[in-house]
Amino acid sequence: AQSVAQPEDQVNVAEGNPLTVKCTYSVSGNPYLFWYVQYPNRGLQFLLKYITGDNLVKGSYGFEAEFNKSQTSFHLKKPSALVSDSALYFCAVRDGGSQGNLIFGKGTKLSVKP
Amino acid sequence: GAGVSQSPSNKVTEKGKDVELRCDPISGHTALYWYRQRLGQGLEFLIYFQGNSAPDKSGLPSDRFSAERTGESVSTLTIQRTQQEDSAVYLCASSLGQGLNSPLHFGNGTRLTVT
């Protein structure tokens, strides 16, 4: 069975500092990994994905994520946080070896202070 | 519209009543998902439709919950005999579905309140 874990309920960062939101996963086949963001009172939006290829993937709004197979992780990063990045971030995984559904983590609330 | 549309946006119902939630996916998207998001919590998978295949119902929490989809279009999620713990935002998403790497496009959800 596939699963995904986001170990931090909340991450607090000062504006201009780098940010990291952690995600680890478990699948039996090759992982297809995604990050989504949910701004207050809005729907979820796709940020980026890893399917194959380079371990560092770049997405929307200056975000990037690094796939680490040995650590089964897919942490979300941004070199310089903005106050407007404050939102709820979800990591999701699908087992590439099956037609299975997309499983989401419980989410991490990112708070960026001026 | 170009996005996933859900209706109603808000629904208040009395305990014990049945409710129907509707989702209009993006045209051409073969895959459709329902998730539940309780206040302050993550997304809980409910059900997944992929083309004409049998749906994956493994996430439905009880037999009070059911969902249908007509072809590759509209889906309805029905909750019978609603309980207070059913209060949540119900999110629908669709994707092209032909490849497992297709991102999901989410609707804005239906906020269900059971009093």
Side-chain angles (χ1 to χ4, degrees), chain A residues 32 34 36 38 42-44 46 49 51 88 90 94-107, chain B residues 33 35 37 40-43 45 48 50 56 58 91 95 97 99-108 111:
Chain A
Y32 290 7
F34 302 79
Y36 287 80
Q38 186 177 36
R42 294 176 64 181
L44 275 80
F46 168 73
K49 67 181 180 183
I51 305 301
L88 193 56
F90 291 94
R94 172 182 277 139
D95 188 335
S98 72
Q99 290 292 324
N101 63 71
L102 190 62
I103 298 298
F104 283 80
K106 62 179 175 61
Chain B
Y33 304 74
Y35 291 88
Q37 186 177 25
Q41 299 189 22
L43 273 70
F45 167 74
Y48 162 53
Q50 172 57 62
D56 178 352
S58 61
L91 294 166
S95 74
L100 298 179
N101 59 0
S102 300
L104 272 60
H105 298 261
F106 281 85
N108 288 329
R111 182 176 299 277

Side-chain angles (χ1 to χ4, degrees), chain B residues 36 45 82 98 100:
Chain B
R36 178 168 69 178
F45 167 74
T82 52
Q98 294 299 323
L100 298 179

Side-chain angles (χ1 to χ4, degrees), chain A residues 47-66:
Chain A
L47 268 183
L48 52 79
K49 67 181 180 183
Y50 170 83
I51 305 301
T52 187
D54 289 341
N55 289 342
L56 186 65
V57 294
K58 295 186 183 297
S60 307
Y61 313 121
F63 283 92
E64 57 190 28
E66 186 170 11

Side-chain angles (χ1 to χ4, degrees), chain B residues 27-38:
Chain B
S27 178
H29 280 194
T30 58
L32 187 146
Y33 304 74
W34 283 98
Y35 291 88
R36 178 168 69 178
Q37 186 177 25
R38 289 195 168 112

